[in-house]
Amino acid sequence: VQLQASGGGLVQPGGSLRLSCQASGDEETFLTMGWYYQAPGKQRDLVATIGSTGNTEYKDSVKGRFTITRDYAKNEVYLQMNSLTPEDTGVYYCNADAWNRRWFKNSNHWGQGTQVTVSS
């Protein structure tokens, strides 16, 4: 299983960014997918998740500003981030729960991080 994240960068406060993550696996069905972020010196924290039926969950501080969506056919998950603040700065990681159809077992996977910096 591989998760390839992209879309980070430098943006001014109040600006927007869109993160993308492509999941791939020959024998896997991807279940819940999501985004986590890690601020400098802090532990990794949930940003948003989206389940296999479209149910979503958000960190309180991003509700109303961030939107997680998913293309089930492409195994891609997106995070639209609006009204960004310096507190949103950090490394954002894609995460996915995968069901292996051959071996009938679950596994959890992380992508490489993508840096988001919000600064004027």
Side-chain angles (χ1 to χ4, degrees), residues 15 37-40 47 59 61-62 65-66 81-92 115-118:
Y37 94 119
Q38 189 164 18
V47 178
K59 175 183 174 72
S61 63
V62 309
R65 299 190 298 124
F66 291 10
M81 305 187 293
N82 299 329
S83 303
L84 284 160
T85 72
E87 287 70 35
D88 297 316
T89 294
V91 180
Y92 283 69
Q115 177 70 44
V116 171
T117 303
V118 185

Side-chain angles (χ1 to χ4, degrees), residues 3-120:
L3 301 178
Q4 183 68 42
S6 61
L10 172 64
V11 64
Q12 292 187 342
S16 298
L17 282 175
R18 185 177 188 244
L19 305 183
S20 299
C21 176
Q22 168 76 65
S24 60
D26 291 337
E27 302 174 334
E28 279 74 20
T29 297
F30 294 98
L31 307 174
T32 298
M33 299 183 72
W35 292 94
Y36 291 70
Y37 94 119
Q38 189 164 18
K42 300 289 181 62
Q43 67 180 19
R44 198 172 296 185
D45 198 13
L46 169 73
V47 178
T49 61
I50 183 165
S52 55
T53 59
N55 50 305
T56 57
E57 178 183 353
Y58 293 93
K59 175 183 174 72
D60 284 345
S61 63
V62 309
K63 289 179 181 177
R65 299 190 298 124
F66 291 10
T67 303
I68 188 169
T69 56
R70 186 168 169 179
D71 186 323
Y72 291 88
K74 296 181 179 179
N75 287 328
E76 293 183 355
V77 63
Y78 312 99
L79 186 69
Q80 178 65 43
M81 305 187 293
N82 299 329
S83 303
L84 284 160
T85 72
E87 287 70 35
D88 297 316
T89 294
V91 180
Y92 283 69
Y93 296 90
C94 178
N95 180 270
D97 287 326
W99 171 253
N100 187 289
R101 299 185 297 272
R102 179 180 182 185
W103 300 108
F104 303 105
K105 67 176 187 178
N106 276 323
S107 57
N108 186 266
H109 304 271
W110 294 95
Q112 91 288 4
T114 184
Q115 177 70 44
V116 171
T117 303
V118 185
S119 175
S120 55

